[in-house]
Amino acid sequence: MLKDGIDIVCSNIINVIDIEEIFFGIEEEGVPYILKFLEDEKIDKESYVNGRFEIGIGINSDGEILLNQKKYTKKYILRENIESSKRNLRIFGQNAARLLKGLPLKKL
């Protein structure tokens, strides 16, 4: 069975504990996610927006976190860093889910 959700593609050198608040924010909005680890050079927009929902999060080895949608033509919709506060990372996750659900995004 194929699991659907927001694709999160993360550099394989990032510690999951550093990004878990993103997961919590997505879960709070009742949306599933799929976490994948790749080598850093393989993380680009196409690697995380090609899922069923065409919305995804990319996290590179520098700690840059990008939220994007396949049809969005600019580099990213939202950007954050793993060094941000837990609150900001949680809101980032909530906003990813809210984008999927068509709801207004929360302000940081």
Side-chain angles (χ1 to χ4, degrees):
M1 183 163 94
L2 185 64
K3 182 179 176 187
D4 290 326
I6 294 175
D7 286 329
I8 302 173
V9 177
C10 183
S11 169
N12 58 5
I13 67 167
I14 298 293
N15 189 333
V16 173
I17 293 171
D18 294 333
I19 57 173
E20 68 183 1
E21 289 295 327
I22 296 170
F23 311 147
F24 299 154
I26 294 170
E27 290 170 354
E28 284 175 0
E29 293 287 335
V31 173
Y33 64 88
I34 302 163
L35 179 61
K36 302 173 191 170
F37 289 93
L38 293 177
E39 293 177 18
D40 201 43
E41 61 272 3
K42 295 181 180 175
I43 298 175
D44 60 9
K45 181 179 177 181
E46 293 305 310
S47 67
Y48 59 89
V49 297
N50 282 324
R52 177 176 175 207
F53 299 132
E54 298 183 346
I55 292 173
I57 297 171
I59 306 168
N60 67 30
S61 62
D62 295 334
E64 182 180 53
I65 307 166
L66 302 177
L67 171 64
N68 224 321
Q69 188 171 26
K70 189 171 190 168
K71 295 177 184 176
Y72 193 71
T73 58
K74 296 186 181 174
K75 186 176 178 187
Y76 57 86
I77 294 171
L78 291 175
R79 182 175 69 177
E80 200 59 65
N81 191 285
I82 62 171
E83 300 296 323
S84 296
S85 70
K86 287 183 177 186
R87 175 186 174 275
N88 285 1
L89 292 176
R90 187 172 292 235
I91 291 172
F92 186 92
Q94 290 170 339
N95 281 337
R98 292 173 73 82
L99 179 66
L100 175 66
K101 296 186 327 185
L103 297 174
L105 303 184
K106 294 183 174 188
K107 295 187 182 201
L108 294 178

